[in-house]
Every structure is written in C-alpha cells, then in structure tokens.
Amino acid sequence: LKEDTVVIVLGASGDLAKKKTFPALFGLWRNGFLPKNIRVVGYARTKMDHAEFLKRVQSHIKTPTKEYEQQLEDFCKASSYVSGQYDKDESFQDLEKHLQELEKGQKTTNRVFYMALPPSVFIPVSEHLKKNNYPKNGIARIIIEKPFGKDLASSRELGNALKPNWKEEEIFRIDHYLGKEMVKNILILRFGNEFFGATWNRNHIDNVQITFKEPFGTEGRGGYFDEFGIIRDVMQNHLLQILTLLAMERPISFSAEDIRNEKVRVLRGMPSIEPKNVIIGQYEKSLDGSKPGYKEDDTVPKESRCPTFASMVAYIKNERWDGVPFILKAGKALNEQKTEVRIQFKDVTSGIFKDIPRNELVIRVQPNESVYIKMNSKLPGLSMQTVVTELDLTYRRRFSDLKIPEAYESLILDALKGDHSNFVRDDELDASWRIFTPLLHYLDENKEIIPMGYPYGSRGPAVLDDFTSSYGYKFADAAGYQWPQHQIEPNKL
Ligand code: BG6
C-alpha cells in the first residue's frame, strides 16, 4: 500500500458516499489497513463548511465505544472538503490547490479518485480530473461505480470517453457484489474441493438458480430506478458476476488477469438471453394495503412498464454447461431479504429409491452467510426410511470470532493496493452487456409487454414457480424440508 495517498471522493455529499464510501474508509482506517498518512478529500457541488461535511461523513458511522469515538475524531482530522462544479476548470483548479497544500513536502503524490457520481456528470468529471488533477509524481487510480451505461452502445460510449485519459490499469470498475465474502469464496469452494470440482458440470448438475430478493421497494429511488429497472440494476451486473464465478474454468493463478481472462471466456460462450425465457413483474400495493405499489411513488411515471422483478434463464454453450439452465431471479418489494445460489444436482438413478429428493448445494450470500448441502440420509431407527438432512457451514457459528468485512471495505482496500481481481475489466463489461442488450431493447421497444403484477411483500408474480419448474427445478421443500437455520434470527446464532 502506498504511503502519501490522498483519496478524493467526488460526489461527497451524495447518498453513496455517505452510506458506503465514508463508512468503508473509516472501517479500514480504524482497523489499521490504510497507509498512516492517508487523507480523504470530499468534493461536490453543495456548499458546506468543514463541520457540515463532517456531519455527513459521520451520519452512517456507528461509534459503539469511546475508542471508536476517538478513532472517528482522528479520521475526521484527516478529512477535508472542497466544493466546486463538475464542469469547470476553475473548480478543479481549486481542488488542485487544496491537494497541493495537503501534499506539501511529500516526495510522491498518489491520488485515488473515487467517483460516487450520477452518470450524467461522470464523463466531464473524469476529463477535468485528468486535465487538472492527475498526479505528476505518483500513482493515479480512478474508481468508478455503476451504472456503466444502459446497454452495449452507451457502455462503449462511456468507455471511449475514459480511454484517452485513463489507462485500463488505472481504472477500477466496482461491482460491489464482488467484494462480498461469500462471492469471494466461490472460487475457493469450487477449485479447492475435489468433490465439488468433480461434479461441477452438465453430467451432474441439473440446474442452477441465482436469487436476489429485497423486502423493500424503490422508496425514494423511484426516479433513478425507473430509468434502469431490475435487470440493469442488479442482474446484468451483480447476478451475472456470480454466475460467471460459478461457471468459469479454473484460472491458471489467482492473479487478476488470469481470473478475468476466464471470466471473459465464459461470458463469450453465452448467447444473449432470449425473451421467451424471461418473465417480468412490477409490484403493486401490499395485500393489507399498508405498502404502496411501485407506481404510487411520485417520482415514477404513472404508465411505467419498468420491471421491479424479473426471472430469466441463461445458457452457456460450452462443454461443461451446454443445456444446463442458469435461472436468475431478482426482485424488489418481496417477502424477504436473501441472495443465494442454489445448485440442484440430477436425480439419483432410480431402482432402490423412489422419488428420493435431489441434492442441492446452497451458497447463502446474505444475510447469514452459509454454505449447506441438502443430503439424503437414513432416518435413525429400525426402518430404512430416508430423510433429507444437511451438511451445514453457517459462518456465524463456525467463525464466531471473525468479522466479515463490508464489501466496500474489501474493494476499496483492493483498489488502494492496485489489485484488479475483483473489479470489472473493459472487455468483461462489453461481454456482459452483449448478453443482455437484445432483451433490454426488446422490452423497452415493445410497449404491449406489461410486467405482471405482484403484491408488495409476496414471493413475486404467481407464475414464478411454474416458470422455474419448467426449466427442470424440482421443489424439494414442498416435500417438507426446511433448512434449520432458516427461522433463526442472525443475532441469535
Ligand atoms: C445496488 C442496487 O447495486 O445493489 C440496489 O442499485 C440494491 O437497488 C443494492 O438494493 C443491493 O446491494 P446489497 O449489498 O444491499 O445487497
């Protein structure tokens, strides 16, 4: 990690900076992961004094002990704020003066620009930074956040605007799911365990489901969300990243380029998603009437056809996966919060067993990180009855004294170290948009396609289970199985 680093957070008065960037920087700081003399500079249009800025920095940071309070105070001493426009050289010159002031006496000046910005100002800011604030004697890094465009063409446009100013090795495209502990674990689970490695293919796996559920609607973000919809918001990026890690071949090493080469390879083997393999939904008022429907949000157009739920099936045309459906499901305003991968193995050969449930490997990304396998076993007793049980690795039980880092902490640290493994490469982004763009255009252009309604707080559109079953998924839970951790509140574990 480089000494003499300044992290400049552009868009410092916004939501993302407040909720994620500053708390993550503080988390790293207090755990001693940042270089000793790191400084954090906020930059945004809002005019505010130092005290007001610090109030925002602190607004999402909890300080449960005196020690924390002291650390936060020290962190604040290393933080400062400059206000300015996003399209004026003079403003960026003001920022430059401030940075030079902070860097006085340093031999090197390493600058990390964190773009917590709305997409509309992204290009001008990246150009002004290059022109006015590019470090003369040190390392430059630019961390950027989605949305990286709305389709293949607009993503390329963004990429082309960055290219003349920033080298690929200076760019860190965040997909914060890649910073989640369980997502980072996928490669270890797959390639570090012979028994998974041996069965990880179309001969043994019947279908793969990747599910993202949130129990709240677009509350307050309707304006942003309506332009994007659930497919662009979480599927083209977060869920596809998980899919890629599940499906890629073994990389030659853990180096960033070796990993990303394999990721691109698997994406290139995927045909674009066909509309016939997709269902979309939009939430309506909850059944008890207490929660509003999507279109009741004032920031959402009354005739909006924006999907807040989608399920779709992707295929990979290679030797390992041909014919295996990868079922992606994502929705807002559903019955629970849950992100998980469910790998369903094929039926056991019949003969001695009749209708014995399939094995499933479940990777619970959040909440309550765990990995479990649904496994048939003999019911203890004098008969030869079978019962579904589980091999269960629940993190809070197994790693009770370890803290699971926040995704943003992990990724910001990687960016400061210059490790690209968990960031999205330009050709990877391109390949991912290629898979989704025809579907997105089809849905945008065909005005007669109306998302199916589902009540706020439900499991999604009524057809969902039939849809999933039609790709081969067999519901074992219907036969009475429930993962025992399912009902336990995380803090009671
Ligand atoms: C963001 C999406 O990228 O991810 C949000 O824009 C979504 O709509 C969020 O709520 C989910 O992230 P997490 O870490 O809370 O699962």
Side-chain angles (χ1 to χ4, degrees):
L1 225 61
K2 301 277 174 220
E3 291 293 320
D4 299 336
T5 295
V6 181
V7 179
I8 301 110
V9 181
L10 291 299
S13 60
D15 244 28
L16 177 70
K18 215 162 57 181
K19 290 187 181 152
K20 300 287 185 193
T21 320
F22 292 126
L25 282 166
F26 175 65
L28 290 171
W29 159 284
R30 69 168 296 276
N31 287 303
F33 287 117
L34 297 187
K36 274 197 257 33
N37 67 341
I38 192 141
R39 272 115 329 136
V40 177
V41 177
Y43 181 93
R45 282 183 293 213
T46 315
K47 285 210 162 38
M48 56 183 159
D49 60 16
H50 192 57
E52 175 63 28
F53 171 63
L54 292 184
K55 222 159 92 193
R56 294 208 190 194
V57 169
Q58 295 168 353
S59 62
H60 280 75
I61 297 177
K62 290 196 191 85
T63 48
T65 63
K66 277 262 169 283
E67 190 198 353
Y68 259 86
E69 270 173 41
Q70 185 56 50
Q71 285 166 331
L72 184 57
E73 217 169 277
D74 292 343
F75 178 70
C76 287
K77 281 191 195 132
S79 310
S80 51
Y81 179 73
V82 176
S83 88
Q85 299 304 309
Y86 289 140
D87 53 358
K88 293 212 165 57
D89 277 327
E90 303 92 84
S91 299
F92 288 90
Q93 279 300 323
D94 288 347
L95 174 64
E96 181 60 21
K97 264 187 231 135
H98 180 73
L99 292 175
Q100 289 187 5
E101 199 57 34
L102 291 177
E103 292 166 343
K104 233 182 223 160
Q106 288 180 193
K107 277 204 233 52
T108 52
T109 52
N110 302 305
R111 294 180 180 174
V112 176
F113 301 100
Y114 190 109
M115 310 276 271
L117 290 169
S120 54
V121 297
F122 177 81
I123 292 178
V125 172
S126 69
E127 288 169 354
H128 280 291
L129 286 175
K130 174 67 198 236
K131 186 164 160 212
N132 298 291
N133 312 102
Y134 193 85
K136 296 189 181 54
N137 180 26
I139 281 169
R141 293 193 176 130
I142 183 164
I143 304 179
I144 61 181
E145 287 273 354
K146 75 164 217 297
F148 307 125
K150 292 182 74 174
D151 57 10
L152 185 57
S154 51
S155 163
R156 282 189 177 161
E157 209 176 295
L158 264 181
N160 289 340
L162 274 178
K163 244 183 213 150
N165 295 321
W166 302 87
K167 295 190 227 72
E168 182 61 20
E169 67 255 32
E170 293 172 332
I171 302 173
F172 291 77
R173 290 178 201 84
I174 284 201
D175 182 310
H176 79 284
Y177 267 59
L178 289 177
K180 291 190 187 271
E181 186 64 29
M182 204 41 104
V183 176
K184 288 167 78 174
N185 193 15
I186 293 175
L187 293 190
I188 313 286
L189 285 175
R190 285 191 55 197
F191 300 115
N193 291 299
E194 183 61 16
F195 55 90
F196 285 145
T199 53
W200 212 262
N201 56 52
R202 61 195 293 273
N203 299 330
H204 297 283
I205 292 177
D206 189 88
N207 61 78
V208 177
Q209 272 187 72
I210 307 171
T211 305
F212 167 101
K213 296 169 91 174
E214 276 184 342
F216 42 83
T218 54
E219 284 94 337
R221 282 174 82 228
Y224 155 82
F225 191 86
D226 202 72
E227 262 196 59
F228 291 88
I230 196 77
I231 302 174
R232 292 180 174 96
D233 190 43
V234 301
M235 299 178 103
Q236 175 270 339
N237 36 54
H238 306 329
L239 298 198
L240 186 65
Q241 281 294 342
I242 295 179
L243 183 154
T244 311
L245 291 168
L246 290 169
M248 66 189 251
E249 295 303 314
R250 185 186 183 108
I252 288 160
S253 79
F254 273 123
S255 82
E257 296 326 318
D258 283 341
I259 291 177
R260 299 194 300 177
N261 286 343
E262 292 305 335
K263 288 172 81 179
V264 172
R265 213 148 75 95
V266 77
L267 291 172
R268 290 184 52 208
M270 290 173 69
S272 50
I273 311 253
E274 289 189 57
K276 70 173 170 44
N277 293 328
V278 179
I279 54 172
I280 55 172
Q282 188 184 75
Y283 66 87
E284 293 167 349
K285 198 188 271 309
S286 62
L287 290 177
D288 65 3
S290 67
K291 296 285 188 184
Y294 175 69
K295 281 194 283 218
E296 288 169 63
D297 183 333
D298 288 339
T299 54
V300 168
K302 289 290 157 266
E303 66 295 349
S304 170
R305 296 186 299 115
C306 174
T308 61
F309 176 96
S311 185
M312 61 182 67
V313 179
Y315 290 97
I316 303 168
K317 297 281 175 205
N318 65 17
E319 213 177 359
R320 185 188 287 273
W321 294 117
D322 196 19
V324 177
F326 284 76
I327 307 166
L328 309 182
K329 288 191 292 189
K332 299 221 166 237
L334 296 177
N335 59 333
E336 60 182 337
Q337 195 207 354
K338 186 163 91 174
T339 302
E340 71 176 23
V341 173
R342 192 168 286 264
I343 292 167
Q344 187 166 69
F345 289 85
K346 297 212 162 181
D347 285 328
V348 172
T349 319
S350 65
I352 56 172
F353 300 116
K354 255 199 245 85
D355 288 341
I356 195 162
R358 289 174 166 180
N359 292 129
E360 277 180 16
L361 166 66
V362 181
I363 302 173
R364 170 68 72 91
V365 174
Q366 65 185 34
N368 186 13
E369 289 85 347
S370 11
V371 183
Y372 63 95
I373 302 175
K374 283 163 53 175
M375 182 179 77
N376 295 306
S377 184
K378 178 182 165 311
L379 186 68
L382 297 176
S383 73
M384 276 300 275
Q385 235 177 304
T386 63
V387 61
V388 183
T389 56
E390 61 287 315
L391 292 174
D392 185 341
L393 165 62
T394 292
Y395 273 35
R396 278 172 215 262
R397 201 166 43 203
R398 179 63 177 77
F399 304 120
S400 55
D401 52 352
L402 293 180
K403 178 187 175 289
I404 297 178
E406 286 295 320
Y408 274 92
E409 291 177 348
S410 157
L411 293 177
I412 291 175
L413 188 63
D414 282 352
L416 288 168
K417 285 188 191 156
D419 179 353
H420 275 95
S421 318
N422 291 309
F423 293 86
V424 185
R425 202 166 68 185
D426 53 354
D427 52 346
E428 187 183 351
L429 183 62
D430 217 69
S432 69
W433 276 120
R434 191 193 45 71
I435 295 165
F436 280 86
T437 296
L439 169 71
L440 289 163
H441 286 176
Y442 175 83
L443 293 174
D444 288 345
E445 283 155 19
N446 287 286
K447 308 256 179 293
E448 73 285 1
I449 303 173
I450 309 287
M452 287 177 269
Y454 63 96
Y456 193 124
S458 65
R459 291 181 59 242
V463 298
L464 177 62
D465 288 347
D466 288 343
F467 177 79
T468 318
S469 309
S470 70
Y471 293 93
Y473 180 72
K474 285 195 186 169
F475 284 90
D477 291 10
Y481 176 83
Q482 261 209 337
W483 180 46
Q485 305 300 312
H486 185 73
Q487 307 290 12
I488 305 175
E489 292 290 319
N491 58 6
K492 296 206 188 111
L493 287 171

mmCIF file of all heavy atoms in Angstrom, residues 299-331:
data_model
loop_
_atom_site.group_PDB
_atom_site.id
_atom_site.type_symbol
_atom_site.label_atom_id
_atom_site.label_comp_id
_atom_site.label_asym_id
_atom_site.label_seq_id
_atom_site.Cartn_x
_atom_site.Cartn_y
_atom_site.Cartn_z
ATOM 1 N N THR A 299 -42.222 9.792 -7.840
ATOM 2 C CA THR A 299 -41.138 10.003 -8.805
ATOM 3 C C THR A 299 -41.220 9.030 -9.980
ATOM 4 O O THR A 299 -40.380 9.044 -10.870
ATOM 5 C CB THR A 299 -39.764 9.828 -8.115
ATOM 6 O OG1 THR A 299 -39.752 8.552 -7.464
ATOM 7 C CG2 THR A 299 -39.521 10.910 -7.076
ATOM 8 N N VAL A 300 -42.243 8.184 -9.982
ATOM 9 C CA VAL A 300 -42.370 7.178 -11.045
ATOM 10 C C VAL A 300 -43.507 7.575 -11.994
ATOM 11 O O VAL A 300 -44.593 7.933 -11.540
ATOM 12 C CB VAL A 300 -42.685 5.800 -10.407
ATOM 13 C CG1 VAL A 300 -43.115 4.788 -11.451
ATOM 14 C CG2 VAL A 300 -41.487 5.287 -9.633
ATOM 15 N N PRO A 301 -43.280 7.545 -13.321
ATOM 16 C CA PRO A 301 -44.351 7.882 -14.256
ATOM 17 C C PRO A 301 -45.541 6.924 -14.104
ATOM 18 O O PRO A 301 -45.344 5.720 -13.901
ATOM 19 C CB PRO A 301 -43.714 7.707 -15.639
ATOM 20 C CG PRO A 301 -42.269 7.488 -15.415
ATOM 21 C CD PRO A 301 -42.025 7.195 -13.977
ATOM 22 N N LYS A 302 -46.727 7.465 -14.215
ATOM 23 C CA LYS A 302 -47.939 6.666 -13.949
ATOM 24 C C LYS A 302 -48.093 5.463 -14.881
ATOM 25 O O LYS A 302 -48.692 4.455 -14.541
ATOM 26 C CB LYS A 302 -49.193 7.548 -14.035
ATOM 27 C CG LYS A 302 -49.306 8.531 -12.873
ATOM 28 C CD LYS A 302 -49.629 7.828 -11.544
ATOM 29 C CE LYS A 302 -49.217 8.617 -10.327
ATOM 30 N NZ LYS A 302 -47.901 8.343 -9.729
ATOM 31 N N GLU A 303 -47.543 5.599 -16.098
ATOM 32 C CA GLU A 303 -47.717 4.496 -17.059
ATOM 33 C C GLU A 303 -46.450 3.613 -17.128
ATOM 34 O O GLU A 303 -46.278 2.840 -18.069
ATOM 35 C CB GLU A 303 -48.121 5.024 -18.447
ATOM 36 C CG GLU A 303 -47.095 5.857 -19.200
ATOM 37 C CD GLU A 303 -46.762 7.189 -18.532
ATOM 38 O OE1 GLU A 303 -47.469 7.606 -17.565
ATOM 39 O OE2 GLU A 303 -45.786 7.818 -18.967
ATOM 40 N N SER A 304 -45.620 3.704 -16.107
ATOM 41 C CA SER A 304 -44.345 2.986 -16.151
ATOM 42 C C SER A 304 -44.508 1.470 -16.384
ATOM 43 O O SER A 304 -45.352 0.824 -15.767
ATOM 44 C CB SER A 304 -43.601 3.193 -14.836
ATOM 45 O OG SER A 304 -42.492 2.335 -14.788
ATOM 46 N N ARG A 305 -43.664 0.938 -17.274
ATOM 47 C CA ARG A 305 -43.643 -0.513 -17.505
ATOM 48 C C ARG A 305 -42.357 -1.113 -16.932
ATOM 49 O O ARG A 305 -41.929 -2.207 -17.318
ATOM 50 C CB ARG A 305 -43.710 -0.820 -19.006
ATOM 51 C CG ARG A 305 -45.005 -0.390 -19.684
ATOM 52 C CD ARG A 305 -45.030 -0.863 -21.135
ATOM 53 N NE ARG A 305 -43.931 -0.296 -21.900
ATOM 54 C CZ ARG A 305 -42.938 -1.018 -22.438
ATOM 55 N NH1 ARG A 305 -42.905 -2.318 -22.307
ATOM 56 N NH2 ARG A 305 -41.984 -0.417 -23.111
ATOM 57 N N CYS A 306 -41.760 -0.368 -16.040
ATOM 58 C CA CYS A 306 -40.447 -0.768 -15.524
ATOM 59 C C CYS A 306 -40.544 -2.043 -14.687
ATOM 60 O O CYS A 306 -41.334 -2.119 -13.747
ATOM 61 C CB CYS A 306 -39.925 0.378 -14.675
ATOM 62 S SG CYS A 306 -38.413 0.002 -13.827
ATOM 63 N N PRO A 307 -39.752 -3.059 -14.995
ATOM 64 C CA PRO A 307 -39.797 -4.266 -14.159
ATOM 65 C C PRO A 307 -39.097 -4.058 -12.820
ATOM 66 O O PRO A 307 -37.965 -3.588 -12.771
ATOM 67 C CB PRO A 307 -39.067 -5.326 -14.986
ATOM 68 C CG PRO A 307 -38.291 -4.591 -16.018
ATOM 69 C CD PRO A 307 -38.859 -3.216 -16.155
ATOM 70 N N THR A 308 -39.780 -4.424 -11.752
ATOM 71 C CA THR A 308 -39.151 -4.430 -10.428
ATOM 72 C C THR A 308 -38.836 -5.871 -10.025
ATOM 73 O O THR A 308 -38.287 -6.126 -8.967
ATOM 74 C CB THR A 308 -40.074 -3.795 -9.369
ATOM 75 O OG1 THR A 308 -41.280 -4.571 -9.305
ATOM 76 C CG2 THR A 308 -40.413 -2.366 -9.711
ATOM 77 N N PHE A 309 -39.244 -6.796 -10.898
ATOM 78 C CA PHE A 309 -38.963 -8.221 -10.694
ATOM 79 C C PHE A 309 -38.668 -8.825 -12.063
ATOM 80 O O PHE A 309 -39.291 -8.446 -13.056
ATOM 81 C CB PHE A 309 -40.193 -8.923 -10.103
ATOM 82 C CG PHE A 309 -39.993 -10.408 -9.956
ATOM 83 C CD1 PHE A 309 -39.588 -10.956 -8.747
ATOM 84 C CD2 PHE A 309 -40.174 -11.264 -11.047
ATOM 85 C CE1 PHE A 309 -39.365 -12.324 -8.620
ATOM 86 C CE2 PHE A 309 -39.945 -12.623 -10.926
ATOM 87 C CZ PHE A 309 -39.540 -13.153 -9.712
ATOM 88 N N ALA A 310 -37.725 -9.741 -12.106
ATOM 89 C CA ALA A 310 -37.532 -10.498 -13.347
ATOM 90 C C ALA A 310 -36.953 -11.862 -13.016
ATOM 91 O O ALA A 310 -36.243 -12.038 -12.018
ATOM 92 C CB ALA A 310 -36.605 -9.758 -14.306
ATOM 93 N N SER A 311 -37.315 -12.814 -13.834
ATOM 94 C CA SER A 311 -36.648 -14.104 -13.765
ATOM 95 C C SER A 311 -36.315 -14.486 -15.194
ATOM 96 O O SER A 311 -37.109 -14.244 -16.116
ATOM 97 C CB SER A 311 -37.540 -15.154 -13.113
ATOM 98 O OG SER A 311 -36.799 -16.350 -12.978
ATOM 99 N N MET A 312 -35.150 -15.031 -15.391
ATOM 100 C CA MET A 312 -34.736 -15.351 -16.763
ATOM 101 C C MET A 312 -33.751 -16.508 -16.746
ATOM 102 O O MET A 312 -33.151 -16.805 -15.706
ATOM 103 C CB MET A 312 -34.087 -14.136 -17.408
ATOM 104 C CG MET A 312 -32.856 -13.674 -16.680
ATOM 105 S SD MET A 312 -32.144 -12.198 -17.437
ATOM 106 C CE MET A 312 -33.376 -10.980 -17.107
ATOM 107 N N VAL A 313 -33.620 -17.119 -17.903
ATOM 108 C CA VAL A 313 -32.744 -18.283 -17.978
ATOM 109 C C VAL A 313 -31.626 -18.017 -18.980
ATOM 110 O O VAL A 313 -31.879 -17.603 -20.106
ATOM 111 C CB VAL A 313 -33.560 -19.524 -18.365
ATOM 112 C CG1 VAL A 313 -32.657 -20.743 -18.469
ATOM 113 C CG2 VAL A 313 -34.638 -19.763 -17.322
ATOM 114 N N ALA A 314 -30.408 -18.230 -18.517
ATOM 115 C CA ALA A 314 -29.237 -18.057 -19.374
ATOM 116 C C ALA A 314 -28.609 -19.424 -19.616
ATOM 117 O O ALA A 314 -28.708 -20.321 -18.764
ATOM 118 C CB ALA A 314 -28.239 -17.141 -18.681
ATOM 119 N N TYR A 315 -27.998 -19.566 -20.771
ATOM 120 C CA TYR A 315 -27.299 -20.820 -21.089
ATOM 121 C C TYR A 315 -25.851 -20.531 -21.459
ATOM 122 O O TYR A 315 -25.521 -19.428 -21.893
ATOM 123 C CB TYR A 315 -27.989 -21.514 -22.271
ATOM 124 C CG TYR A 315 -29.352 -22.062 -21.910
ATOM 125 C CD1 TYR A 315 -30.511 -21.343 -22.201
ATOM 126 C CD2 TYR A 315 -29.481 -23.288 -21.267
ATOM 127 C CE1 TYR A 315 -31.758 -21.834 -21.865
ATOM 128 C CE2 TYR A 315 -30.733 -23.790 -20.922
ATOM 129 C CZ TYR A 315 -31.867 -23.062 -21.227
ATOM 130 O OH TYR A 315 -33.096 -23.554 -20.886
ATOM 131 N N ILE A 316 -25.039 -21.533 -21.289
ATOM 132 C CA ILE A 316 -23.624 -21.382 -21.644
ATOM 133 C C ILE A 316 -23.289 -22.490 -22.630
ATOM 134 O O ILE A 316 -23.446 -23.687 -22.323
ATOM 135 C CB ILE A 316 -22.727 -21.500 -20.395
ATOM 136 C CG1 ILE A 316 -23.152 -20.461 -19.352
ATOM 137 C CG2 ILE A 316 -21.261 -21.334 -20.760
ATOM 138 C CD1 ILE A 316 -22.541 -20.668 -17.979
ATOM 139 N N LYS A 317 -22.832 -22.083 -23.796
ATOM 140 C CA LYS A 317 -22.598 -23.087 -24.840
ATOM 141 C C LYS A 317 -21.161 -23.586 -24.770
ATOM 142 O O LYS A 317 -20.325 -23.229 -25.590
ATOM 143 C CB LYS A 317 -22.849 -22.460 -26.226
ATOM 144 C CG LYS A 317 -24.277 -22.018 -26.426
ATOM 145 C CD LYS A 317 -25.136 -23.213 -26.761
ATOM 146 C CE LYS A 317 -26.601 -22.807 -26.849
ATOM 147 N NZ LYS A 317 -27.501 -23.911 -26.582
ATOM 148 N N ASN A 318 -20.872 -24.339 -23.765
ATOM 149 C CA ASN A 318 -19.553 -24.966 -23.762
ATOM 150 C C ASN A 318 -19.681 -26.394 -23.242
ATOM 151 O O ASN A 318 -20.765 -26.846 -22.861
ATOM 152 C CB ASN A 318 -18.520 -24.134 -23.003
ATOM 153 C CG ASN A 318 -18.823 -24.006 -21.510
ATOM 154 O OD1 ASN A 318 -19.616 -24.760 -20.962
ATOM 155 N ND2 ASN A 318 -18.177 -23.054 -20.864
ATOM 156 N N GLU A 319 -18.557 -27.070 -23.264
ATOM 157 C CA GLU A 319 -18.574 -28.494 -22.954
ATOM 158 C C GLU A 319 -19.071 -28.774 -21.539
ATOM 159 O O GLU A 319 -19.748 -29.744 -21.267
ATOM 160 C CB GLU A 319 -17.138 -29.010 -23.088
ATOM 161 C CG GLU A 319 -17.058 -30.403 -23.572
ATOM 162 C CD GLU A 319 -15.609 -30.823 -23.744
ATOM 163 O OE1 GLU A 319 -14.692 -30.011 -23.509
ATOM 164 O OE2 GLU A 319 -15.418 -31.987 -24.119
ATOM 165 N N ARG A 320 -18.740 -27.853 -20.623
ATOM 166 C CA ARG A 320 -19.101 -28.063 -19.229
ATOM 167 C C ARG A 320 -20.599 -27.833 -18.982
ATOM 168 O O ARG A 320 -21.219 -28.504 -18.173
ATOM 169 C CB ARG A 320 -18.280 -27.116 -18.342
ATOM 170 C CG ARG A 320 -18.494 -27.331 -16.857
ATOM 171 C CD ARG A 320 -17.809 -26.255 -16.033
ATOM 172 N NE ARG A 320 -16.363 -26.384 -15.998
ATOM 173 C CZ ARG A 320 -15.697 -27.144 -15.120
ATOM 174 N NH1 ARG A 320 -16.354 -27.845 -14.228
ATOM 175 N NH2 ARG A 320 -14.382 -27.178 -15.142
ATOM 176 N N TRP A 321 -21.175 -26.856 -19.695
ATOM 177 C CA TRP A 321 -22.503 -26.381 -19.272
ATOM 178 C C TRP A 321 -23.613 -26.513 -20.302
ATOM 179 O O TRP A 321 -24.756 -26.158 -20.008
ATOM 180 C CB TRP A 321 -22.417 -24.909 -18.859
ATOM 181 C CG TRP A 321 -21.603 -24.684 -17.643
ATOM 182 C CD1 TRP A 321 -20.445 -23.966 -17.557
ATOM 183 C CD2 TRP A 321 -21.851 -25.176 -16.310
ATOM 184 N NE1 TRP A 321 -19.962 -23.970 -16.273
ATOM 185 C CE2 TRP A 321 -20.812 -24.711 -15.497
ATOM 186 C CE3 TRP A 321 -22.854 -25.973 -15.744
ATOM 187 C CZ2 TRP A 321 -20.736 -25.003 -14.126
ATOM 188 C CZ3 TRP A 321 -22.789 -26.261 -14.401
ATOM 189 C CH2 TRP A 321 -21.742 -25.792 -13.595
ATOM 190 N N ASP A 322 -23.320 -26.951 -21.480
ATOM 191 C CA ASP A 322 -24.344 -26.947 -22.526
ATOM 192 C C ASP A 322 -25.635 -27.594 -22.011
ATOM 193 O O ASP A 322 -25.619 -28.702 -21.471
ATOM 194 C CB ASP A 322 -23.820 -27.702 -23.762
ATOM 195 C CG ASP A 322 -24.676 -27.395 -24.975
ATOM 196 O OD1 ASP A 322 -25.397 -26.371 -24.934
ATOM 197 O OD2 ASP A 322 -24.628 -28.171 -25.947
ATOM 198 N N GLY A 323 -26.750 -26.879 -22.140
ATOM 199 C CA GLY A 323 -28.053 -27.429 -21.755
ATOM 200 C C GLY A 323 -28.450 -27.194 -20.304
ATOM 201 O O GLY A 323 -29.595 -27.431 -19.928
ATOM 202 N N VAL A 324 -27.525 -26.736 -19.475
ATOM 203 C CA VAL A 324 -27.879 -26.511 -18.067
ATOM 204 C C VAL A 324 -28.476 -25.104 -17.917
ATOM 205 O O VAL A 324 -27.812 -24.116 -18.228
ATOM 206 C CB VAL A 324 -26.641 -26.633 -17.144
ATOM 207 C CG1 VAL A 324 -27.006 -26.328 -15.691
ATOM 208 C CG2 VAL A 324 -26.009 -28.003 -17.281
ATOM 209 N N PRO A 325 -29.726 -25.001 -17.459
ATOM 210 C CA PRO A 325 -30.298 -23.664 -17.287
ATOM 211 C C PRO A 325 -29.743 -22.957 -16.055
ATOM 212 O O PRO A 325 -29.700 -23.544 -14.971
ATOM 213 C CB PRO A 325 -31.800 -23.933 -17.124
ATOM 214 C CG PRO A 325 -31.923 -25.355 -16.733
ATOM 215 C CD PRO A 325 -30.686 -26.078 -17.165
ATOM 216 N N PHE A 326 -29.318 -21.730 -16.233
ATOM 217 C CA PHE A 326 -28.945 -20.862 -15.115
ATOM 218 C C PHE A 326 -30.117 -19.898 -14.931
ATOM 219 O O PHE A 326 -30.341 -19.030 -15.763
ATOM 220 C CB PHE A 326 -27.648 -20.090 -15.414
ATOM 221 C CG PHE A 326 -26.415 -20.934 -15.283
ATOM 222 C CD1 PHE A 326 -26.072 -21.855 -16.267
ATOM 223 C CD2 PHE A 326 -25.583 -20.814 -14.164
ATOM 224 C CE1 PHE A 326 -24.934 -22.652 -16.133
ATOM 225 C CE2 PHE A 326 -24.443 -21.598 -14.032
ATOM 226 C CZ PHE A 326 -24.121 -22.524 -15.016
ATOM 227 N N ILE A 327 -30.873 -20.132 -13.872
ATOM 228 C CA ILE A 327 -32.103 -19.369 -13.660
ATOM 229 C C ILE A 327 -31.791 -18.185 -12.738
ATOM 230 O O ILE A 327 -31.388 -18.390 -11.584
ATOM 231 C CB ILE A 327 -33.186 -20.263 -13.009
ATOM 232 C CG1 ILE A 327 -33.372 -21.546 -13.838
ATOM 233 C CG2 ILE A 327 -34.498 -19.508 -12.846
ATOM 234 C CD1 ILE A 327 -34.164 -22.655 -13.125
ATOM 235 N N LEU A 328 -31.919 -16.989 -13.266
ATOM 236 C CA LEU A 328 -31.675 -15.800 -12.445
ATOM 237 C C LEU A 328 -33.025 -15.242 -11.991
ATOM 238 O O LEU A 328 -33.964 -15.186 -12.784
ATOM 239 C CB LEU A 328 -30.942 -14.713 -13.245
ATOM 240 C CG LEU A 328 -29.684 -15.111 -13.999
ATOM 241 C CD1 LEU A 328 -29.065 -13.888 -14.688
ATOM 242 C CD2 LEU A 328 -28.659 -15.713 -13.049
ATOM 243 N N LYS A 329 -33.088 -14.838 -10.728
ATOM 244 C CA LYS A 329 -34.330 -14.254 -10.209
ATOM 245 C C LYS A 329 -33.953 -13.038 -9.388
ATOM 246 O O LYS A 329 -33.063 -13.132 -8.537
ATOM 247 C CB LYS A 329 -35.016 -15.227 -9.236
ATOM 248 C CG LYS A 329 -35.635 -16.421 -9.882
ATOM 249 C CD LYS A 329 -36.515 -17.171 -8.885
ATOM 250 C CE LYS A 329 -35.719 -17.827 -7.790
ATOM 251 N NZ LYS A 329 -36.462 -18.716 -6.922
ATOM 252 N N ALA A 330 -34.637 -11.922 -9.609
ATOM 253 C CA ALA A 330 -34.339 -10.744 -8.794
ATOM 254 C C ALA A 330 -35.595 -9.927 -8.627
ATOM 255 O O ALA A 330 -36.367 -9.768 -9.577
ATOM 256 C CB ALA A 330 -33.256 -9.896 -9.447
ATOM 257 N N GLY A 331 -35.808 -9.419 -7.431
ATOM 258 C CA GLY A 331 -36.992 -8.599 -7.248
ATOM 259 C C GLY A 331 -36.918 -7.712 -6.025
ATOM 260 O O GLY A 331 -36.238 -8.018 -5.043
#
